[in-house]
Amino acid sequence: MAVPPSTYPRHLLPLFLGLFQGTLLLFFALFVTYDEPSAQAEDANLVANQVYSTFPFFQDIQVMLVVGLGLLLTFLPIYGLSALTHNFLLLNFSTQWALVLQGLFHHFHHGQIHLDLHKLLISEFAAVTVLISVGAILGRASPCQLLVMATCEIPIYLASEWVIVTCLGVLDVGGTITIHAFSCYFGLGVSKALFRATQQPLHPKETPTPSSDLMSLVGTLILWVFWPSFVAVLCQPGDAQHRAILNTLLAMSASAITAVVASSLLHRDGKLSPGHLQNGSLAGGVAIGVVADMAMPPVAALALGSLSAVLCVLGFRFLTPLLRKKLTLHDQCGIHNLHGLPGILGAAASVVAVLMASKDASGSQPSQLSPVGGNASEVVGGRGAGGQALCQAAGLAVAVGASLLAGLLTGAALRLPCLARPPERLCFDDSQYFKIQDQAERPKPGSSAEEGALALKE
């Protein structure tokens, strides 16, 4: 049941965040430290080289998540301030939460967690899953609901990623399976459980405007430019990283052109849909991630990018309305079209790539650094191409199954009245969470002169 505006617990958000940050301050003071400075010149140079080679990629990813993804979510005309702010808040919250959990489970030695840039990068990758998942319920959930969703999703993602990468040995350098597929179906599970079987009608504030679509398209362009860094940052420096960058650029270039073609052909007047361009142009980056560092011909990257864009555009045109009508499944940002369908396509491509890879060709074996360490080429050599192909398929099944189940349970928890789900009439509205200056200073229609003076004074 929606909480009326008059009873909205306005101090719940600062209380939640204040307790969280205060607890983390204590945890960091007791258990988190940096590595000791290297005494030997060789070790110091090695650390410096690692920082100089990783930090530019890290900065690119920061721009992607803070600016690119934030702007991509501003397609809702009077919810842009909330979309940008909530995206920024969830990124910082989820990164810190993932740092704690990663440190406790993987890096807790002798009572201390040694922090470095790589651990921070992996924690930010975990935060990406939250930023993608919330797209399914964007505008219809309160900040407290989003934070609780992030609190639940991060540990589930870390457990799922450990099973997929460490136990199954799945090759997924760009996070196609572990990040994109997982976060998509987690978000859809949350949406299904949160809204249950009720049909969500089209909200009057839900329709994009030309200016909001323009801001969203700017976010797409920023994401498009920096996406190769997201895919290549965890690759082995050298040939594998070089291949990942080239394959990603080719796939995304093909998806951008194909998205224009598909969108134009789907409309009788030949015009383009902004939503198709905003998402279809990025579909190639999602699909290519799992095979980006594998030795494959350039035409394969182009084909994968084109096919992913077609799936994405067709998903927006046909599949999203069908799921909304038949399954009453609400997907506000179309994450199933951008992350789910291309994620499944990329996983299928990885199965084909592993089976077709020639073991005796130079550089044919994939070489990557998994998020928890280890060389993936050793995994392939130990089990053979057929076994690795089965593991790739099993990894997708684990990601989809675990995320759906966990999302349904999390969505049920988000229905608690204390989490202040906004009433339907205040969805997609910045004024629910922000003090909009011009609205505060403007007396409401029909108000008396005294009420207007009080509003101005306030």
Side-chain angles (χ1 to χ4, degrees):
M1 178 181 295
V3 179
S6 59
T7 61
Y8 179 79
R10 301 188 181 279
H11 298 295
L12 182 61
L13 180 63
L15 179 63
F16 185 101
L17 290 176
L19 289 175
F20 170 80
Q21 198 63 71
T23 304
L24 254 68
L25 284 172
L26 180 61
F27 180 85
F28 270 61
L30 295 176
F31 302 111
V32 181
T33 185
Y34 295 117
D35 290 327
E36 294 294 332
S38 302
Q40 298 181 358
E42 294 81 2
D43 294 336
N45 290 334
L46 179 61
V47 172
N49 290 334
Q50 291 175 342
V51 172
Y52 295 147
S53 63
T54 304
F55 190 67
F57 288 106
F58 182 81
Q59 285 291 79
D60 290 351
I61 296 171
Q62 291 281 85
V63 175
M64 282 182 63
L65 302 181
V66 176
V67 184
L69 184 56
L71 290 177
L72 181 65
L73 300 177
T74 59
F75 64 94
L76 297 169
I78 57 174
Y79 196 73
L81 185 60
S82 299
L84 276 168
T85 304
H86 295 162
N87 179 76
F88 185 55
L89 173 64
L90 286 170
L91 173 62
N92 288 279
F93 175 87
S94 302
T95 301
Q96 293 188 52
W97 180 224
L99 268 176
V100 171
L101 296 180
Q102 285 267 28
L104 289 175
F105 295 149
H106 297 300
H107 310 295
F108 195 75
H109 303 294
H110 307 292
Q112 292 289 320
I113 299 172
H114 293 270
L115 186 62
D116 58 28
L117 185 59
H118 185 262
K119 294 183 180 67
L120 183 60
L121 175 64
I122 298 306
S123 298
E124 196 154 275
F125 269 52
V128 173
T129 61
V130 177
L131 304 185
I132 295 173
S133 296
V134 298
I137 59 175
L138 184 71
R140 294 185 184 269
S142 69
C144 292
Q145 286 179 308
L146 298 181
L147 290 172
V148 171
M149 178 177 172
T151 304
C152 298
E153 184 171 2
I154 292 296
I156 301 298
Y157 161 76
L158 293 177
S160 170
E161 187 262 354
W162 178 77
V163 171
I164 293 171
V165 175
T166 304
C167 298
L168 296 177
V170 172
L171 308 179
D172 187 18
V173 70
T176 299
I177 298 173
T178 55
I179 294 178
H180 294 286
F182 174 89
S183 57
C184 167
Y185 291 100
F186 185 93
L188 294 180
V190 169
S191 176
K192 181 62 179 177
L194 181 59
F195 304 121
R196 291 186 179 175
T198 58
Q199 183 73 35
Q200 296 296 323
L202 185 66
H203 199 282
K205 302 173 186 177
E206 194 174 347
T207 304
T209 62
S211 59
S212 65
D213 269 333
L214 178 61
M215 290 298 294
S216 182
L217 187 57
V218 172
T220 296
L221 299 180
I222 294 173
L223 287 168
W224 193 95
V225 169
F226 292 106
W227 203 289
S229 295
F230 182 86
V231 173
V233 65
L234 293 178
C235 291
Q236 290 277 18
D239 290 338
Q241 198 167 66
H242 188 204
R243 282 195 302 270
I245 294 172
L246 292 176
N247 286 330
T248 304
L249 287 172
L250 289 174
M252 298 197 69
S253 180
S255 66
I257 293 177
T258 306
V260 173
V261 175
S263 180
S264 179
L265 291 177
L266 285 176
H267 296 89
R268 293 182 179 180
D269 55 6
K271 294 183 179 180
L272 304 177
S273 169
H276 294 168
L277 300 184
Q278 293 157 5
N279 295 273
S281 301
L282 303 174
V286 175
I288 197 67
V290 68
V291 295
D293 62 337
M294 298 183 185
M296 58 184 184
V299 67
L302 289 171
L304 189 58
S306 296
L307 186 55
S308 63
V310 170
L311 283 178
C312 181
V313 173
L314 291 178
F316 273 101
R317 181 67 175 84
F318 300 108
L319 187 57
T320 296
L322 181 65
L323 293 177
R324 181 187 287 257
K325 181 179 180 180
K326 298 297 183 181
L327 301 180
T328 62
L329 183 60
H330 180 75
D331 184 6
Q332 183 62 47
C333 295
I335 61 174
H336 188 236
N337 307 314
L338 176 55
H339 302 277
L341 297 178
I344 294 174
L345 175 64
S350 71
V351 173
V352 176
V354 168
L355 291 175
M356 295 183 63
S358 176
K359 294 183 178 181
D360 57 352
S362 177
S364 63
Q365 293 295 343
S367 177
Q368 67 187 59
L369 289 176
S370 67
V372 292
N375 194 323
S377 61
E378 298 175 359
V379 177
V380 177
R383 61 166 58 106
Q388 184 61 41
L390 289 176
C391 288
Q392 297 293 117
L396 177 65
V398 170
V400 173
S403 60
L404 268 177
L405 177 60
L408 289 170
L409 295 175
T410 301
L414 295 187
R415 296 183 61 84
L416 293 174
C418 62
L419 296 180
R421 176 182 163 189
E424 185 66 21
R425 64 183 180 85
L426 291 178
C427 290
F428 312 109
D429 197 331
D430 285 330
S431 63
Q432 171 75 348
Y433 308 110
F434 289 89
K435 187 175 180 64
I436 309 299
Q437 193 66 24
D438 59 347
Q439 291 182 1
E441 295 177 355
R442 187 186 307 120
K444 296 182 179 179
S447 62
S448 64
E450 182 179 356
E451 290 173 340
L454 289 174
L456 290 172
K457 182 178 180 181
E458 182 183 357

